[in-house]
């Protein structure tokens, strides 16, 4: 792991603000983790805020909810933030804000399985970007949880949405942790916070004096990238090494992002499904950088227009600059896993040949040899890439960041993975 420039001062410490709702929402129904959500509304139908508008009949329920009241204008495929296509529900905002009174049907939250069902019905996923269904993660299938880690290590540059959420809603996050632990019954609970956010201890410590939170401790972890990765954080907290693709639960560990925990609190205590999230809006050309509550389905172009952000000759990134791809379609909507929208200057990078310095090997958190992937990719020897364990790469881009020759290592890695899949 390594230290990188954070650029967090632009947004850190600012209050969480709201973005004005758009006229038209686009709620995408991506097929993930074995679920295929389908619309349960019709074109022309009037819906209420918090009304379920899609769900899957197989696998995880994967529900989607109306973020506002309005009329279903159309249902068709459209582009997502990653430029893939997905069936999308277009909802015209009627500005009446008429809500369903009991969106989660007042489900009983007294026993672990009932809580897990609420989490599933609320549509809660990994809010740290992975979007893995929380209810599936908390389905223990008889396994014992030794350590429950709450991931507050926001290691990507620019992003401060998790920090802002912890500072504003510490009490709610602790209650969410307590609720989830009714399912997990973990021996140990650790809230992991990076050292540069150590001031959050002053917010959490008085609340942790309550008897119900006696199992929860705060651990300050190094300001290193990619410290916020599930595998890296697990090793830092427990000393356990988990291979990429393996399930931490097999080692007695579960990791959840602070945003996921907050969503559990909202669902169980406030009876609210997931219709919004906090994102960071930042970069070199943003007049009003900060952290904003944005409803799921809000087009990026609406946010840019609403906050008067000029993106001409700029690079847009949906998420952190290290692991997220460039955003080419501003009409794409915010989803549950969107961490931020960054507006960055274009750079003319002079790409040189690899000098075999080994810096990429030194910083790789998975102990791989990234320079070999570039070599084998240019030779079209994809089987060699596989032999050098390319599938273990977590695509953190540490190798490309440190490379003195600006070798496009991530291009070789991502293209190589795609070649091996096809």
């Amino acid at each position: 792991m390594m230290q990188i420039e954070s650029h967090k001062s632009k947004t850190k410490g600012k209050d969480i603000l709201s973005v004005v709702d758009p006229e038209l929402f686009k709620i995408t129904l991506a097929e993930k983790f074995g679920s295929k959500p389908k619309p349960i509304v019709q074109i022309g139908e009037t819906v209420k805020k918090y009304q379920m508008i899609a769900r899957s009949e197989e696998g995880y329920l994967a529900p989607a909810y109306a973020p506002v009241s309005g009329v279903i204008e159309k249902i068709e495929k459209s582009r997502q933030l990653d430029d893939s296509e997905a069936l999308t529900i277009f909802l015209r905002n009627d500005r009446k804000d008429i809500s369903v009174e009991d969106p989660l049907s007042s489900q009983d939250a007294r026993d672990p399985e009932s809580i897990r069902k609420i989490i599933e019905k609320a549509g809660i996923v990994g809010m740290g970007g992975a979007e893995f269904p929380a209810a599936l993660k908390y389905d223990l299938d008889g396994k014992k949880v030794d350590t429950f880690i709450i991931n507050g290590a926001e290691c990507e540059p620019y992003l401060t949405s998790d920090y802002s959420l912890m500072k504003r809603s510490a009490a709610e996050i602790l209650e969410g942790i307590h609720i989830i632990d009714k399912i997990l019954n973990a021996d140990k609970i650790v809230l992991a916070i990076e050292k540069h956010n150590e001031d959050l201890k002053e917010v959490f410590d008085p609340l942790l004096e309550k008897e119900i939170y006696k199992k929860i401790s705060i651990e300050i972890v190094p300001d290193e990238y990619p410290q916020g990765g599930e595998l890296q954080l697990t090793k830092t907290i427990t000393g356990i090494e988990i291979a990429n693709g393996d399930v931490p639960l097999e080692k007695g560990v579960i990791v959840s992002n602070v945003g996921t925990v907050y969503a559990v609190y909202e669902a169980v205590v406030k009876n609210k499904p997931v219709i919004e999230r906090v994102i960071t809006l930042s970069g070199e050309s943003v007049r009003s950088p900060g952290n904003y509550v944005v409803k799921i389905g809000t087009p990026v172009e609406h946010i840019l227009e609403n906050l008067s952000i000029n993106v001409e000759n700029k690079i847009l990134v949906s998420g952190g600059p290290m692991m997220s791809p460039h955003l080419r379609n501003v009409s794409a909507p915010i989803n549950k896993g969107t961490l931020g929208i960054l507006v960055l200057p274009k750079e003319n990078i002079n790409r040189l040949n690899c000098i075999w310095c080994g810096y990429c090997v030194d910083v790789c958190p998975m102990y791989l040899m990234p320079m070999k992937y570039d070599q084998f990719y240019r030779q079209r020897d994809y089987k060699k890439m596989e032999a050098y364990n390319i599938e273990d790469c977590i695509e953190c881009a540490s190798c490309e960041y440190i490379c003195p020759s600006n070798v496009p290592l991530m291009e070789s890695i991502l293209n190589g993975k795609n070649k091996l899949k096809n």
Side-chain angles (χ1 to χ4, degrees):
M1 293 196 284
M2 63 181 181
Q3 292 187 333
I4 59 178
E5 192 171 354
S6 76
H7 298 285
K8 294 178 185 286
S9 60
K10 297 175 182 295
T11 57
K12 186 176 178 180
K14 291 190 175 183
D15 292 337
I16 298 176
L17 304 176
S18 298
V19 172
V20 175
D21 291 339
E23 293 296 327
L24 184 67
F25 285 87
K26 302 177 182 180
I27 299 93
T28 56
L29 309 178
E31 297 182 4
K32 293 182 177 180
F33 308 110
S35 289
K36 298 180 179 181
K38 304 295 181 185
I40 55 174
V41 290
Q42 304 295 322
I43 296 173
E45 183 177 343
T46 299
V47 299
K48 296 180 179 180
K49 181 180 179 180
Y50 299 127
Q51 180 178 331
M52 189 185 292
I53 57 176
R55 66 174 178 235
S56 178
E57 298 296 333
E58 53 186 280
Y60 171 65
L61 184 62
Y65 291 85
V68 295
S69 60
V71 177
I72 304 300
E73 191 165 279
K74 57 183 177 179
I75 302 173
E76 60 185 39
K77 285 190 174 182
S78 72
R79 294 286 180 185
Q80 302 182 89
L81 291 172
D82 63 1
D83 214 31
S84 64
E85 281 195 337
L87 192 63
T88 301
I89 298 174
F90 292 74
L91 171 60
R92 179 68 61 178
N93 190 352
D94 64 9
R95 302 290 178 184
K96 295 179 181 179
D97 204 36
I98 302 171
S99 301
V100 173
E101 292 185 4
D102 192 8
L104 299 180
S105 304
S106 296
Q107 295 192 47
D108 192 345
R110 287 180 293 183
D111 64 271
E113 185 57 22
S114 296
I115 295 171
R116 202 180 67 82
K117 288 295 185 183
I118 294 173
I119 291 170
E120 179 177 14
K121 188 172 183 181
I124 299 172
V125 299
M127 305 292 272
E131 295 187 68
F132 187 82
L136 291 184
K137 178 173 280 193
Y138 303 149
D139 185 0
L140 304 182
D141 192 27
K143 297 180 177 65
K144 179 74 175 67
V145 178
D146 299 315
T147 308
F148 176 30
I149 301 172
I150 298 85
N151 189 350
E154 200 170 26
C155 63
E156 279 261 23
Y158 292 99
L159 302 181
T160 58
S161 55
D162 284 349
Y163 171 87
S164 298
L165 186 61
M166 286 186 283
K167 188 170 185 179
R168 184 198 70 177
S169 305
E172 291 83 354
I173 289 170
L174 289 178
E175 181 61 20
I177 294 170
H178 179 63
I179 290 167
I180 296 169
D181 192 49
K182 291 180 180 179
I183 304 173
L184 307 183
N185 192 26
D187 292 337
K188 180 182 180 182
I189 304 175
V190 179
L191 171 57
I193 299 172
E194 284 195 301
K195 186 170 178 56
H196 65 260
N197 291 334
E198 196 170 7
D199 59 293
L200 289 172
K201 275 181 59 64
E202 298 177 5
V203 180
F204 281 104
D205 280 346
L207 300 170
L208 289 173
E209 294 178 1
K210 293 183 179 180
E211 178 66 19
I212 60 170
Y213 302 144
K214 63 183 179 180
K215 284 202 294 183
I216 304 173
S217 64
I218 293 178
E219 185 159 336
I220 304 301
V221 299
D223 295 332
E224 295 178 333
Y225 179 82
Q227 185 66 258
E230 184 176 66
L231 307 184
Q232 287 68 45
L233 192 59
T234 296
K235 182 180 178 182
T236 298
I237 299 297
T238 68
I240 298 171
E241 290 200 28
I242 300 172
N244 190 26
D246 288 352
V247 180
L249 180 57
E250 297 295 335
K251 302 288 187 179
V253 178
I254 280 186
V255 183
S256 285
N257 175 265
V258 291
T260 306
V261 172
Y262 180 75
V264 170
Y265 164 82
E266 290 266 278
V268 175
V269 177
K270 292 193 172 182
N271 195 31
K272 288 176 60 177
V274 177
I275 64 161
E276 62 190 17
R277 67 157 298 135
V278 179
I279 70 168
T280 298
L281 184 64
S282 188
E284 306 307 319
S285 307
V286 178
R287 294 179 183 176
S288 304
N291 296 291
Y292 293 83
V293 175
V294 181
K295 289 189 172 67
I296 308 301
T298 300
V300 171
E301 60 188 348
H302 169 79
I303 299 172
L304 299 175
E305 291 169 6
N306 185 255
L307 297 175
S308 302
I309 299 173
N310 181 8
V311 297
E312 187 176 355
N313 294 319
K314 301 294 190 299
I315 294 172
L316 285 178
V317 177
S318 58
M322 296 293 287
M323 297 187 72
S324 301
H326 292 175
L327 173 60
R328 295 177 173 84
N329 181 13
V330 295
S331 66
I334 298 299
N335 57 41
K336 295 176 185 178
T338 305
L339 302 174
I341 300 295
L342 306 181
V343 184
L344 305 174
K346 286 186 177 180
E347 296 180 345
N348 293 319
I349 300 175
N350 185 23
R351 301 290 189 183
L352 304 174
N353 292 327
C354 175
I355 59 174
W356 296 88
C357 63
Y359 289 172
C360 59
V361 178
D362 292 340
V363 300
C364 178
M366 301 305 293
Y367 313 111
L368 303 174
M369 300 179 69
M371 73 282 204
K372 300 297 288 185
Y373 301 138
D374 177 66
Q375 174 191 349
F376 296 143
Y377 180 73
R378 285 187 286 106
Q379 295 171 348
R380 300 183 181 180
D381 194 343
Y382 310 123
K383 287 297 182 182
K384 275 279 186 68
M385 299 179 82
E386 186 174 35
Y388 274 71
N389 302 314
I390 191 173
E391 291 302 327
D392 286 346
C393 172
I394 61 172
E395 301 171 18
C396 68
S398 295
C399 55
E400 187 164 325
Y401 181 90
I402 201 70
C403 179
S405 296
N406 296 316
V407 176
L409 293 165
M410 289 310 301
E411 181 180 319
S412 299
I413 290 169
L414 295 173
N415 289 342
K417 284 186 175 184
N418 287 331
K419 290 290 185 180
L420 287 167
K421 287 178 183 176
N422 299 329

